[in-house]
Amino acid sequence: MSTSKRLVWLDLEGTIIESWYNTKLINIEKIKDLLDRFGVTEIGIFSFAIYNQTDITKFNDEVKGRIESALGVDVVAVPSVIDMMNADFRFTNVHWEKGLEIHDFIAVRTKVGAFEHYIRVGYDEDTYALLIDDVVPNQTITDLDNNVVVDYLNVNHGEFDALRLQWHV
């Protein structure tokens, strides 16, 4: 199975920065090696740390340029958790209760479900998406009807070389 659109996404906290309040870059060499190996020049950020537009602005002002410089890529997409929830609603038709919705969404969907729904709603058929994160299992989800492949790669598992990524196909 081959796909024409290939997208790479990074989580923030514990993956590329220490935390939202300590934005020291981490795992640069490991992630840069993978991106370079596959010729990736653009990435997205998919992080539960970015709740809303205020957080996107903070990311753009304080972190984005350092990530781009360290990895040699352009950050081209930074959805907020609100954006993720809107995509999830379009995919599942599930409404989240006002007041607790962000916390409920994160707890119920987890990164795996939120990312899968975001990709399946936001991109049409024939798409490959990879999320590099510190809390996901190394796994692949494939929608055979639309040729959408979603890979999850845990940055803390030393399996970067062993994992069969879609770029190999």
Side-chain angles (χ1 to χ4, degrees), residues 50-61:
I50 299 177
Y51 278 27
N52 53 35
Q53 187 58 48
T54 301
D55 292 338
I56 291 173
T57 300
K58 177 181 175 179
F59 170 80
N60 287 338
D61 292 346

Side-chain angles (χ1 to χ4, degrees), residues 32-123:
K32 183 170 178 25
D33 177 61
L34 181 106
L35 299 177
D36 288 349
R37 195 168 353 135
F38 296 113
V40 175
T41 59
E42 297 179 338
I43 63 168
I45 298 297
F46 196 86
S47 175
F48 287 159
I50 299 177
Y51 278 27
N52 53 35
Q53 187 58 48
T54 301
D55 292 338
I56 291 173
T57 300
K58 177 181 175 179
F59 170 80
N60 287 338
D61 292 346
E62 299 176 18
V63 183
K64 179 181 176 184
R66 291 187 295 124
I67 290 174
E68 290 177 330
S69 179
L71 297 178
V73 297
D74 293 324
V75 175
V76 297
V78 185
S80 68
V81 177
I82 300 297
D83 297 326
M84 296 173 202
M85 291 171 63
N86 289 334
D88 184 81
F89 172 73
R90 289 193 305 276
F91 188 75
T92 66
N93 205 33
V94 170
H95 291 275
W96 299 93
E97 184 180 333
K98 292 288 183 198
L100 297 175
E101 67 268 4
I102 288 179
H103 300 288
D104 287 346
F105 173 77
I106 290 169
V108 171
R109 285 294 177 248
T110 74
K111 192 64 71 70
V112 171
F115 186 67
E116 177 193 358
H117 294 174
Y118 185 82
I119 295 300
R120 290 178 70 181
V121 166
Y123 297 90

Side-chain angles (χ1 to χ4, degrees), residues 124-142:
D124 56 6
E125 58 188 38
D126 205 27
T127 297
Y128 171 79
L130 168 65
L131 175 63
I132 301 172
D133 194 299
D134 65 312
V135 298
V136 297
N138 289 331
Q139 71 178 21
T140 301
I141 297 173
T142 304

